[in-house]
Amino acid sequence: MPLSTQCQDDDKKYVLVASLDNARNLSNILKAITFKDHAIFTATSNGLQVTVEYCKTLQASAFIQTEIFQEFTIKEDLVAFQINLTVLLDCLNIFGGSPVAGTSTALQMCYKGYGYPLTLYLEEGGVVTVCKIKTQEPEELIDFDFCSTNVINQVILQSESLKEAFSELDMTSEVLTITMSPSRPYFRLSTFGNSGNAHYDYSKDSDMMEMFRCTKTQTNRYKMSLLKPSTKALALSCKVSVRTDNRGFLSLQYLIRNDDGQHSYVDFFCCPDEEGEEE
Amino acid sequence: MQCVVTGGNVKVLAKAIHSLSRIGEELYVEPQKDGVSCCATVRNTITSSCHLALRSVNSSRSAYACFLFAPLFFSRYSIPNGKDFRCKIAIKSVQSVFRSVATLEKTVEKCHIELDEENDRLTFTLHCKHGLLKTHNLSYQDSESLQAMFDKDACTTNFRVNPRVLVDTVAHFPPSLEEVTVTVSDERMWVRNYVEDETERSKAMLTELCLASDEFDHFVVKAHNSFTFCLKELRGLLVFAESNNLPVSMYFKEPGCPVVLSVTDSVMEGNFVLATLSDGSSPPKNKSKGAHTQQSLPPDDFMNDDMDSYLIAMDTSVASSAAEPPASTLTDPCTSKLPEANHKTRTHSEEEEEEEVADGPDRPPNKKFRSLFFGSVLPPSPQMSTQPVTTQEVLASDSEDES
C-alpha cells in the first residue's frame, strides 16, 4: 500500500493511525451525520466514533469499527478531538465526489495528539494529496443516559418501508409523533400539518417488521426539525431500530452496509418535545 | 360518502389529481346524484349519472378541468343520502397522499376515501403492501358547485387522436411557451407558437408543425379556423391521456369560445376546457358578437387581448340553487356572452375572487373577472333575462373610460 510509507518515519510520534483502501467507507457514513459543522472524534481500540450534537436535544454518532479499517493503530486508551466535519468531508472527497467505477481513493489518517492537526493522506491513481486539518478541544458530550434497561418499546424495521414514509412526511407539521403499542396501531408515525393530519401505521405482522417488542402504549412528540437530519442516515441504511425509554427519549439506530459488505452504525438520540407529552 | 379504489385504478385516480393540479390550486369534490344536478351538457358515455366529479379551475377562470368517475370505477361506492355534498380541498394536500405515482402501482393495494362530516374531513386511507397503512385526514371547505358550460355537439371542429401524436407535437415547443395557435383546414392542422406583437414576431423563434388529417382517428372540420389557447394547461391532460393510453378528442367552434379536450373510457371521463383568444393571430379586433365591444384594454399582467373571450363560461352556483337544469341555455353558448348568467339566480359564492367584485355594479369589478361575475354581482331579477345587453354595456363603457 503506497500510503504506508508516508507515516513510517513518524510512526512513534502518532497516537492514532487509521487506513482505508476505500475512503468512501468513511465519507459515506460521515455524510449521514453532517448536519452541524463540528464533530467530536473519539477513537478507542474498538474503532472510531464521530459525534455531532444539536441544541443539546439531538445527538448523532457514527461508529466505524476497527475491523473496517485496513490498519488501525492507537497508542492511548482514548484519543479525542473536535474537528470541522464539513472540511473533513471536503478533503475526503478531494478527488471528486462521484466515484468512478473501479477506482477508489485510499486514505490514511494520522494524529499526533493534543494540539496537533489531523493529517490525511489521500491517494488515487498515483496522485497523493496531503491535508492537515486543525483540531480543537473536544466539547463535553451529553450523556443521554439511554440504557437498555429503561427501554419500554422497541421495533426493528427494514429501512425500505420507513424510507418511503419519511420521504412523504408532511413537512408543514412541526412535530412528528411516534406511537408504539402492543395493540393497534402497533407502530405509528403521525404528522399534523396545514392541510390535516397523516398517519403511517406499521403492523406488527408486517414482513418489514424484523422485531417487535412493545410493552406499553406510548405516544411521544418530537420536533420535525430534529428528526429531519436522520433521513440521510435512513437513506444509507438497510435496517433501523427504534427505541423509546421511560422518559420518552428516542433512539434511532441505523445499520449501514458499505461496499465491502461490512457493517457500521449510526445512532440518533432525540429528546421529546416538552410541550405536549402524552402517554 | 365512501369510495374504495383498488388495483390499477388507484394510479388512474392519482394521475387525474396530478393533472388537475396543473390547472388550479383547489380540488372540488362532488359526488353527483341522479338526474338534475349533473352537468347535463356533458355528453358522455357514462350511462349512470351517479358519478364522482373531481374538478379544478384556475384563478383567472381561463382553464377548467373535470374528471367524472362512474360507480364502476370503484370497487365500492356509496354517497351520502339527502343533501348534496360538495367540498373543496387544497390540491397540494391531496397530491401529497398520492405523491409518488410510480411506487403507487407497486405498493398500494387499495385506496379508501371516506367523508367525516363531523370534523369536516375527507379521509384517504391507502392500504399498502407489507402491512403498511397510510391515513390522511384532509380538512375541506364547503364550496359552491363548479361546472363549466360547454356543448360538444355544437362544435364545428372536432377530432380524435392518439395522445402520442399530441405529446410528440408539443414536445417541439419549449416548456415555457405560454400559448399556441392551432389552425385547421379540411385536410390539415397547423400548430404554432403564439407571439403577441407584430414587432416581437421578427425577434422570436417561430415554430410550426403541420399534421395531416390521416394522423387522426377522426377529423371533422366544418369551418376553417384558428384558435389560440394556453399550452401549459393542456400538458396536464396529455400526460394523463398518454399514461392511460386514451385517445384525446378536441372540440372547437370559433375563436373566443373555449376549446374542449376530452378523454373517455368506460368508467371515467375527463374534460379540459380551455379559453381561447377571440382572434387567434393578432391583437384585439372588433368583436361583432355579443354586446361587448371591448377593444383596447389597459395593459396588465394578464392578456393584452380581449380578455372576455379568454374566460370560460362558468356556473358557480351555491348548493341551494344548483337544482336548475342548465341544459336549456346552451343551444349556442357563444352568441350571447354568458347565457347561464341570465337564467340562473345567483347568490354570492364563497369564492374569494367573487368577493372582490361583490361591491355591486357601481364600480367596475376586477378586470379579470368582470364579464364572468357580473352575473353574480347583480341581484336576481326577472329582468335579467331580457336585459343582459344593457348591463353589459354599462360595464363595458366604464372599462373603456379607464383605457
Side-chain angles (χ1 to χ4, degrees), chain B residues 268-288:
Chain B
M268 179 267 313
E269 175 173 324
N271 287 305
F272 274 54
V273 182
L274 306 177
T276 63
L277 285 185
S278 63
D279 188 290
S281 54
S282 56
K285 288 195 165 136
N286 262 328
K287 259 182 34 181
S288 50

Side-chain angles (χ1 to χ4, degrees), chain A residues 44-218:
Chain A
T44 64
S45 52
N46 289 332
L48 190 64
Q49 175 182 331
V50 184
T51 306
V52 175
E53 262 179 19
Y54 179 75
C55 286
K56 309 268 183 228
T57 46
L58 177 70
Q59 187 184 82
S61 299
F63 295 94
I64 306 111
Q65 300 161 79
T66 320
E67 292 76 34
I68 308 238
F69 294 92
Q70 272 64 56
E71 182 198 345
F72 195 88
T73 314
I74 184 166
K75 295 239 169 89
E76 289 170 13
D77 285 341
L78 183 88
V79 173
F81 54 84
Q82 186 169 296
I83 197 166
N84 187 315
L85 192 57
T86 318
V87 172
L88 175 65
L89 270 175
D90 283 345
C91 293
L92 291 175
N93 288 316
I94 207 146
F95 288 101
S98 41
V100 180
T103 64
S104 61
T105 311
L107 163 75
Q108 186 173 62
M109 285 196 302
C110 308
Y111 181 63
K112 281 188 189 167
Y114 184 82
Y116 287 91
L118 178 71
T119 307
L120 304 175
Y121 295 93
L122 294 134
E123 184 268 335
E124 187 178 303
V127 179
V128 179
T129 306
V130 182
C131 306
K132 287 194 172 144
I133 309 171
K134 276 193 195 153
T135 60
Q136 287 132 23
E137 180 92 37
E139 278 170 18
E140 209 172 295
L141 287 174
I142 304 172
D143 181 2
F144 276 65
D145 195 23
F146 195 99
C147 57
S148 31
T149 45
N150 291 333
V151 170
I152 302 222
N153 291 317
Q154 178 180 19
V155 300
I156 298 183
L157 282 166
Q158 284 190 25
S159 301
E160 211 183 296
S161 51
L162 209 56
K163 278 178 205 176
E164 202 189 312
F166 266 80
S167 68
E168 292 180 11
L169 284 181
D170 182 0
M171 287 301 154
T172 63
S173 170
E174 275 184 25
V175 295
L176 175 75
T177 67
I178 299 182
T179 303
M180 292 168 84
S181 166
S183 55
R184 279 192 188 278
Y186 302 120
F187 181 69
R188 167 179 281 191
L189 303 172
S190 309
T191 53
F192 306 88
N194 293 339
S195 45
N197 55 48
H199 305 290
Y200 288 79
D201 298 344
Y202 291 84
S203 162
K204 74 171 165 70
D205 304 312
S206 161
D207 51 355
M208 285 280 156
M209 186 74 74
E210 293 215 350
M211 186 181 88
F212 184 86
R213 206 190 286 153
C214 292
T215 59
K216 194 171 109 173
T217 304
Q218 261 190 322

Side-chain angles (χ1 to χ4, degrees), chain A residues 225-239:
Chain A
S225 53
L226 292 182
L227 292 181
K228 212 160 173 275
S230 69
T231 51
K232 274 194 211 160
L234 179 62
L236 291 169
S237 68
C238 48
K239 275 190 214 177

